[in-house]
Amino acid sequence: MTENGGVTPLVRLENVNKHFGALHVLKNINLTVSRGEVLVVIGPSGGGKSTLCRAINRLETIDDGKIVFDGQVLPEEGKALARLRSEVGMVFQSFNLFAHKTIRENVTLGPVKVRGVSKDAASKRAMELLERVGIAAQADKYPAQLSGGQQQRVAIARALAMDPKMILFDEPTSALDPEMVQEVLDVMIGLARDGMTMVVVTHEMGFARRAANRVVFMADGQIVEENTPDEFFTNAQTDRARDFLSKILTH
Amino acid sequence: MEDLIRYAPDLAAGFLENIKLSIVAAIVSLVFGTVLVAMRVSPTPVLRAAGTIYVNVVRNTPLTLVLAFSALGLSDQLGLVFSTEPRTNSFWIVALGLAAYTAAFVCEALRSGINTVPLGQAEAARAIGLTFMQSLRMIILPQAFRAVVAPLGSVMIAMVKNTTVAVAGGFAADAAANMKESFDQVGASIPIFLGIVVAFMAVTLPIGYLTGRLAQRLAVAR
Ligand SMILES: Nc1ncnc2c1ncn2[C@@H]1O[C@H](COP(=O)(O)OP(=O)(O)O)[C@@H](O)[C@H]1O
Ligand SMILES: [Mg+2]
């Protein structure tokens, strides 16, 4: 099971194509994510970053090509697909906590209903995870009672509760007020340190430099450039990437 | 006034039938309406089409025809029998006819409720590995129900009033008979009319009030 000189890939995308009507949003994407790797995806809006993320847990279907997760081609539908999704955590830009459930219920729902964990065990674990992300005191509140930064940390705890093999983050800090960005990034940096496999769509250069193994620059549905964070941010190879970086750096 | 007092016991007995009909139709239509809305939002095209056709046909057919169909079509032609006792049998035929009719409106109220639930809720549910049915049952429908408690109350009020059509149209039980008898004998006197109106309002006003209160209590904060 070893490839790439001993590192087992967890996800492999081969010649993946995706259209929205006439719009070609993923153009022949080839990408591998190794176990324990933290991959940052960066690039201009509309470049296909979200679609790429969502294709990995099949929230979006693909037109052709192949996505292999943990040695298996993604199941098309039904129970097998639900099982795959339970192994791939997802953290959304807009948090998407279940609005009618308490924080604790948000975190226990998956383990209880998908994994068949007992309520007590799930609740105990939920409290540990909420402790870890610093929200334990709010366990019995509803999402709308929490700040954006707190909600996003709960969303991370909800993903972690499934013991996922990997977590996808789609611009997890873009909807946050500036003073709340760091508290979420800190949790993510902690996860990266603990060896979680992560694909993170973000423009947070600080996070990329501190936690990422690799940066992928995506524009117009293509992977334009791929490098280590330091190389990418200081010595981008393509005009597109340099142009993009000059724009986000001036902000 | 004397008329009202003289016929009150008969009218009350008849009215009781309306109440029984309302309760059965409320329960059955809520369950069936939920099944219909699940069909209408399901990923399976055949189910979606079936749900859409049912709702559009039934919602646009006069209640009297729906009831006539359930009495003539289901009962007489298909020989559907719920009870050997003719009165009980016709009660169930009418109750189910009314429920089948009301379910179309329950479905549409719920569907507008589903439209208030942000797409991200369903995506997050799928992302933790819930199946379509699980996310519908645990995430989407609970929020949809809360959003449409008040409109559902209106659907139920309309249904309660429709029991009079049901009773007069198909169900030859005491209610219609007694009402007709009182009308025949004393003419449709104003006190009797008013008495019936008050009796219905005693049922429907609390439904409106309670569902209004409930709607506020259950509202999902976003
Ligand atoms: N559900 C959709 N239907 C139609 N077009 C879509 C849909 N989702 C995304 N798109 C389009 O696909 C392109 C890529 O979108 P996206 O993956 O969200 O890019 P990014 O996350 O990099 O901003 C954009 O042009 C966007 O408008
Ligand atoms: Mg995006």
Side-chain angles (χ1 to χ4, degrees):
Chain A
M1 273 290 287
T2 56
E3 292 175 36
N4 304 342
V7 189
T8 326
L10 183 59
V11 185
R12 198 170 70 239
L13 286 82
E14 285 175 21
N15 305 319
V16 170
N17 281 286
K18 164 82 181 174
H19 293 78
F20 282 117
L23 194 66
H24 200 170
V25 265
L26 295 181
K27 296 176 184 161
N28 219 44
I29 300 288
N30 286 284
L31 183 69
T32 304
V33 185
S34 309
R35 272 173 222 279
E37 187 178 19
V38 177
L39 177 73
V40 158
V41 182
I42 195 168
S45 172
K49 306 180 298 295
S50 295
T51 309
L52 176 76
C53 244
R54 294 159 58 82
I56 294 176
N57 68 353
R58 222 169 189 281
L59 282 179
E60 296 293 353
T61 57
I62 57 173
D63 301 339
D64 55 75
K66 193 162 92 169
I67 301 180
V68 180
F69 177 79
D70 203 14
Q72 282 194 318
V73 175
L74 295 195
E76 304 232 320
E77 55 187 29
K79 284 247 151 45
L81 178 57
R83 192 174 323 115
L84 162 98
R85 287 189 179 136
S86 74
E87 294 179 346
V88 182
M90 179 130 193
V91 173
F92 302 85
Q93 181 174 348
S94 50
F95 331 133
N96 295 347
L97 294 181
F98 304 130
H100 63 309
K101 299 212 172 272
T102 64
I103 298 311
R104 187 201 313 265
E105 288 167 343
N106 263 275
V107 181
T108 57
L109 184 79
V112 172
K113 301 296 180 184
V114 177
R115 289 278 156 74
V117 175
S118 78
K119 276 220 170 83
D120 284 349
S123 187
K124 189 157 164 283
R125 173 107 165 92
M127 289 315 294
E128 286 166 15
L129 290 168
L130 289 173
E131 196 80 58
R132 176 167 171 188
V133 300
I135 317 280
Q138 332 272 347
D140 295 312
K141 291 190 178 168
Y142 285 86
Q145 296 172 281
L146 268 55
S147 73
Q150 291 174 324
Q151 289 191 53
Q152 196 60 300
R153 285 183 279 150
V154 174
I156 294 172
R158 175 174 68 180
L160 287 173
M162 300 303 290
D163 290 320
K165 291 178 176 155
M166 125 187 248
I167 305 184
L168 307 165
F169 294 82
D170 189 2
E171 304 209 28
T173 58
S174 310
L176 297 178
D177 291 335
E179 75 272 20
M180 293 172 187
V181 169
Q182 200 55 47
E183 66 194 47
V184 172
L185 292 179
D186 286 343
V187 170
M188 292 168 60
I189 290 168
L191 288 181
R193 298 260 151 85
D194 291 349
M196 176 62 73
T197 309
M198 298 160 66
V199 171
V200 185
V201 178
T202 185
H203 295 166
E204 292 292 338
M205 230 181 298
F207 172 82
R209 281 176 180 273
R210 284 184 62 188
N213 302 99
R214 193 158 49 120
V215 172
V216 162
F217 176 70
M218 215 181 155
D220 293 329
Q222 283 170 308
I223 293 179
V224 179
E225 201 170 325
E226 222 182 296
N227 218 327
T228 60
D230 280 342
E231 270 299 301
F232 178 75
F233 289 116
T234 55
N235 189 19
Q237 301 298 302
T238 59
D239 288 343
R240 287 266 3 216
R242 276 196 294 273
D243 181 48
F244 173 78
L245 285 174
S246 73
K247 279 178 191 148
I248 64 165
L249 284 171
T250 54
H251 280 309
Chain B
M1 202 60 212
E2 290 155 38
D3 297 341
L4 182 58
I5 293 164
R6 176 141 50 99
Y7 289 100
D10 290 349
L11 287 169
F15 188 67
L16 196 65
E17 295 297 323
N18 290 60
I19 300 302
K20 275 161 51 185
L21 213 48
S22 302
I23 292 169
V24 172
I27 295 168
V28 177
S29 67
L30 282 171
V31 172
F32 187 35
T34 307
V35 173
L36 281 173
V37 84
M39 289 168 71
R40 290 207 71 175
V41 299
S42 94
T44 315
V46 180
L47 288 179
R48 258 203 323 269
T52 305
I53 291 169
Y54 180 92
V55 167
N56 283 312
V57 168
V58 171
R59 201 163 55 132
N60 292 296
T61 305
L63 174 58
T64 43
L65 287 183
V66 173
L67 292 173
F69 177 78
S70 72
L72 299 175
L74 295 182
S75 174
D76 297 355
Q77 296 294 316
L78 296 179
L80 207 61
V81 176
F82 297 98
S83 166
T84 47
E85 150 84 275
R87 261 203 49 202
T88 316
N89 192 41
S90 59
F91 172 86
W92 281 99
I93 285 167
V94 169
L96 293 186
L98 182 60
Y101 177 79
T102 309
F105 295 87
V106 169
C107 170
E108 288 310 272
L110 281 177
R111 204 159 64 97
S112 71
I114 286 177
N115 289 335
T116 69
V117 181
L119 198 61
Q121 297 283 305
E123 294 201 328
R126 282 192 286 158
I128 60 169
L130 295 178
T131 61
F132 172 77
M133 279 310 290
Q134 281 178 319
S135 69
L136 195 63
R137 195 156 51 82
M138 296 168 196
I139 307 299
I140 309 302
L141 282 177
Q143 295 186 52
F145 262 108
R146 287 157 189 242
V148 295
V149 171
L152 277 179
S154 302
V155 170
M156 289 302 130
I157 287 172
M159 182 274 292
V160 170
K161 293 188 294 180
N162 279 340
T163 58
T164 53
V165 180
V167 166
F171 174 33
D174 296 350
N178 289 341
M179 227 183 282
K180 188 167 181 304
E181 192 192 315
S182 358
F183 290 169
D184 286 349
Q185 291 185 4
V186 294
S189 80
I190 288 174
I192 286 179
F193 263 134
L194 289 181
I196 294 170
V197 167
V198 168
F200 269 95
M201 282 171 66
V203 177
T204 53
L205 282 179
I207 294 179
Y209 176 74
L210 289 176
T211 51
R213 284 284 299 275
L214 208 59
Q216 283 177 0
R217 278 227 0 232
L218 294 180
V220 178
R222 298 202 186 279

